[in-house]
Amino acid sequence: MTDPNRRQIISLRDVQKHYGSYHALRGITMDIAEGEFFSLLGPSGCGKTTLLRTIAGFEDVSSGHVLLDGRDMEGVPANKRPTNMVFQSYAIFPHLSVAQNVGFGLRKRSDLDKSAKSALIAEALGMVGLDGYGDRSAQALSGGQRQRVALARALILKPKVLLLDEPLSALDKKLREQMQTELRRLQRHVGITFILVTHDQEEALIMSDRIAVMFEGQIAQLASPQELYRRPVTQQVANFIGVMNFLPVEISMGQGGSIDLDIAGLGRTTIDSAQCPGAIRPGLGQAGLRPETMTLLVDGEDADGHLAEGQVEELAYYGDMTYYDVLLDGATVPVTISMKNLTGRQVLDRGARARVAWDPRALVVFAE
Ligand code: ATP
């Protein structure tokens, strides 16, 4: 949810971008609030970098408007915009020291004397956890430290908006996870609006206040991580964010906003229309359930609510979790069910009969 009292720092109005005959951005309209951690998420080629570059001023829009802090940016070059960008390849200068890299953007600032510049550099290095690294050669840094230098260099100019184009993608998994947490903490600390471009849904979920999911130059859904995960508006979004099982369903309209469903493998149930964020109409459709919303019951366990039966076709043991593929009786494709391997809890074998507890409140239904 956007807070209506928060100032909108970025407003995009029907932004279109053509590269020759290729239509890369197809009418992007959205607002981003001051102090938000906002992510543009989507598969390769969906236009997220192009959108970031139009905000930065590295690309002109073909039509539409980019407003930064209430001002139309038409004709305003990148270096005159209140934004700064951190790139995927850190683009730090190897022949300069860390301090020279961080202070690079200040070199033409005649209003600042040497000691004022040094103080700003020290402050920026402190922000990214590189106190005392100023004199070091930029070459003598690890990947994570280089990325921090790039961040410090961008932050020292005190932009209103920091644009981050896949800034963590060159780092290995452990370091990337660590930097995700640090970047989030840094953003909260400085209070600047961050816009992150990523194709990694987990990264977007972990870090963002809100996420715009993009496909083919359009925003498919703009929502908080929880909302996107729990109430995706289309099957495409549901597939892109985490794992969702789909079962064929027959939809009919019930009384007073309720919807009656007959789901292959799960049977009949009724849900509230508010559970269907996309357009819903009678007929055939797909019912979606996340793997963790179903429970595979083991001997002696009972379900209070809805129960389905089937057979374990395959399982993958991950130590903390087991992922089961279960073919429910009456269904043609297996569903994936994730179970925590709690101490003493039995892990079912391939071929075992499965009793599955499920909750209609977790269903998301898409009409065909
Ligand atoms: P990735 O994650 O791979 O970087 P993306 O979502 O950021 O993908 P963009 O880089 O924005 O995608 O590109 C969107 C589309 O526009 C792509 O099909 C790309 O080939 C095309 N495109 C981008 N820049 C240009 C350009 N300068 N000239 C022609 N086509 C371009």
Side-chain angles (χ1 to χ4, degrees):
M1 268 287 158
T2 15
D3 178 349
N5 299 318
R6 269 168 101 178
R7 200 153 66 106
Q8 304 304 328
I9 192 86
I10 295 182
S11 298
L12 304 179
R13 294 289 173 265
D14 195 20
V15 169
Q16 310 264 352
K17 178 72 186 175
H18 295 269
Y19 292 113
S21 61
Y22 187 75
H23 200 173
L25 296 177
R26 301 167 180 233
I28 305 284
T29 295
M30 66 178 180
D31 296 299
I32 299 174
E34 194 170 36
E36 251 193 306
F37 198 124
F38 192 94
S39 291
L40 298 170
L41 172 69
S44 185
C46 71
K48 44 196 194 301
T49 299
T50 302
L51 186 57
L52 200 72
R53 291 172 61 83
T54 61
I55 295 170
F58 297 129
E59 297 278 357
D60 292 330
V61 298
S62 303
S63 66
H65 298 276
V66 174
L67 287 89
L68 295 184
D69 210 8
R71 212 177 125 214
D72 198 318
M73 287 293 117
E74 196 176 337
V76 179
N79 62 356
K80 294 278 187 283
R81 296 191 181 194
T83 53
N84 210 341
M85 191 135 158
V86 177
F87 296 93
Q88 180 176 354
S89 54
Y90 323 126
I92 61 172
F93 306 115
H95 56 286
L96 298 183
S97 70
V98 167
Q100 285 167 329
N101 264 285
V102 172
F104 196 77
L106 301 179
R107 68 196 186 289
K108 288 186 185 152
R109 290 278 298 272
S110 50
D111 54 320
L112 297 170
D113 63 17
K114 205 165 168 226
S115 69
K117 286 181 185 175
S118 297
L120 285 172
I121 291 168
E123 185 195 358
L125 284 174
M127 273 186 216
V128 299
L130 285 180
D131 295 285
Y133 277 72
D135 293 334
R136 210 187 266 207
S137 153
Q139 260 170 327
L141 295 175
S142 70
Q145 288 167 338
R146 279 179 207 200
Q147 189 54 291
R148 281 172 225 223
V149 170
L151 274 170
R153 193 176 59 187
L155 286 168
I156 203 169
L157 299 169
K158 305 222 166 25
K160 289 186 176 152
V161 179
L162 192 66
L163 306 168
L164 302 131
D165 190 2
E166 306 248 10
L168 308 181
S169 61
L171 305 177
D172 66 44
K173 187 170 182 289
K174 266 254 150 49
L175 188 56
R176 195 165 66 229
E177 286 169 1
Q178 186 192 334
M179 286 296 289
Q180 285 168 355
T181 318
E182 280 190 26
L183 209 52
R184 182 73 245 224
R185 200 180 303 135
L186 177 67
Q187 189 271 336
R188 289 215 183 97
H189 175 69
V190 295
I192 293 171
T193 307
F194 277 31
I195 305 182
L196 172 79
V197 158
T198 181
H199 61 268
D200 180 341
Q201 48 103 10
E202 211 169 84
E203 181 163 296
L205 290 177
I206 292 169
M207 297 174 77
S208 320
D209 294 314
R210 287 190 309 151
I211 302 169
V213 181
M214 290 181 67
F215 296 113
E216 294 173 5
Q218 287 179 311
I219 295 176
Q221 187 168 5
L222 195 169
S224 69
Q226 292 89 333
E227 182 77 8
L228 270 183
Y229 189 80
R230 296 190 53 213
R231 298 275 168 253
V233 292
T234 64
Q235 251 182 289
Q236 199 180 22
V237 174
N239 266 326
F240 197 72
I241 310 280
V243 176
M244 190 171 261
N245 294 296
F246 293 105
L247 291 163
V249 61
E250 248 183 80
I251 306 163
S252 40
M253 297 316 193
Q255 301 289 316
S258 70
I259 293 170
D260 296 326
L261 305 172
D262 188 359
I263 309 168
L266 296 178
R268 288 180 188 279
T269 190
T270 299
I271 61 167
D272 195 276
S273 59
Q275 270 175 255
C276 306
I280 195 86
R281 53 188 171 272
L284 297 178
Q286 296 288 325
L289 271 178
R290 298 282 186 198
E292 69 281 8
T293 65
M294 291 179 274
T295 307
L296 205 48
L297 300 173
V298 290
D299 282 347
E301 283 182 333
D302 266 326
D304 296 335
H306 289 66
L307 193 68
E309 295 204 14
Q311 183 168 335
V312 175
E313 286 209 323
E314 201 48 77
L315 69 151
Y317 180 76
Y318 277 79
D320 59 335
M321 305 282 289
T322 303
Y323 286 81
Y324 295 93
D325 288 340
V326 174
L327 185 62
L328 297 170
D329 298 342
T332 52
V333 283
V335 288
T336 299
I337 300 174
S338 58
M339 295 294 296
K340 277 214 172 86
N341 293 325
L342 301 174
T343 309
R345 193 184 171 87
Q346 181 190 347
V347 175
L348 291 182
D349 289 328
R350 198 176 292 118
R353 279 303 287 171
R355 291 184 304 130
V356 176
W358 61 282
D359 187 343
R361 289 172 305 175
L363 282 169
V364 188
V365 179
F366 304 99
E368 240 157 44

